[in-house]
Amino acid sequence: MAEMRADKRRYLKATEHDDAPSRRRSAWLIIAAAVISVVSLALGALQLQSVQRAIGIPLPEMMVGGYDVDYVEAVRDLLDAAVIERYQSVHYLWFLLFPVAFAALIILLVRRFSRSPLRWLFYAVALLYAAVHIAENLVLEAALASVEITSSEVAFASFLTTAKFILFAAAILAFALSFTLNRTTSRRQTRR
């Protein structure tokens, strides 16, 4: 029994040494994804605040509980050409870059710290968040650009906005859960 444990320790030590370049590369990817996520979120949020100050009311994508047709029409009526350009740059640059970088960050973190079979579910949550966030941007852009805003269009955009916030929290929870599951699994293995 003691020989088996010694063999297992030697094997783990040898594979850890072989895995070092891969782990360094993974660490650099995590750092890059984190930096891109933070910078794109900060710059996008600053631009959104600038747009909100210009029109005087919160933008639809910042309303966690959703919104209705009247609210979207009120926002559209307050947007002038210069403000619309700033608003669109948030959607087409920062809030396109942020969800992709954030999803990549969650996937890289889960991949690095979790060996749980649930990790595929955690990956799916991160990817779904990115897809919903980008879809929300596109649907809101279409609603604000249309001549007549329909209630179904706004209901869908409102649903995506609420889902975006829920999936953002779920993606963070997925990473935390994967990290916790990995720690409990590691403790059980070391006791054996």
Side-chain angles (χ1 to χ4, degrees):
M1 188 72 160
E3 288 177 22
M4 281 180 44
R5 285 187 186 149
D7 288 341
K8 187 175 180 180
R9 272 187 248 125
R10 277 193 294 268
Y11 173 76
L12 289 174
K13 196 176 271 190
T15 55
E16 281 177 15
H17 180 69
D18 294 343
D19 233 10
S22 172
R23 292 181 70 78
R24 272 195 298 274
R25 211 174 16 255
S26 172
W28 280 111
L29 285 172
I30 289 170
I31 291 167
V35 168
I36 292 170
S37 294
V38 169
V39 169
S40 60
L41 179 63
L43 292 174
L46 286 173
Q47 274 193 315
L48 274 186
Q49 285 178 352
S50 164
V51 171
Q52 280 185 178
R53 277 196 304 273
I55 65 172
I57 60 173
L59 292 166
E61 63 259 58
M62 302 306 287
M63 301 182 71
V64 179
Y67 38 86
D68 60 4
V69 175
D70 295 334
Y71 194 81
V72 174
E73 285 176 346
V75 170
R76 183 182 63 181
D77 293 342
L78 292 169
L79 294 171
D80 61 15
V83 176
I84 285 175
E85 191 175 315
R86 264 189 288 165
Y87 186 54
Q88 287 176 337
S89 73
V90 173
H91 285 171
Y92 295 132
L93 179 61
W94 304 120
F95 282 0
L96 184 64
L97 189 58
F98 169 70
V100 172
F102 179 75
L105 175 64
I106 294 296
I107 288 169
L108 288 167
L109 287 170
V110 168
R111 185 173 174 207
R112 173 95 185 238
F113 294 111
S114 178
R115 301 290 175 246
S116 168
L118 291 175
R119 71 178 178 268
W120 294 101
L121 176 65
F122 302 149
Y123 295 163
V125 169
L127 290 173
L128 188 59
Y129 164 74
V132 166
H133 194 145
I134 292 168
E136 178 218 18
N137 292 342
L138 297 174
V139 170
L140 270 175
E141 285 289 330
L144 291 169
S146 63
V147 176
E148 188 178 323
I149 300 172
T150 64
S151 61
S152 61
E153 194 175 33
V154 172
F156 185 53
S158 179
F159 167 75
L160 290 174
T161 300
T162 303
K164 170 186 75 173
F165 285 107
I166 291 169
L167 288 168
F168 180 75
I172 293 172
L173 183 64
F175 164 66
L177 188 59
S178 71
F179 187 72
T180 304
L181 287 173
N182 187 49
R183 289 188 62 174
T184 56
T185 305
S186 297
R187 283 183 187 152
R188 281 189 207 136
Q189 288 175 350
T190 55
R191 286 179 191 160
R192 288 180 186 169

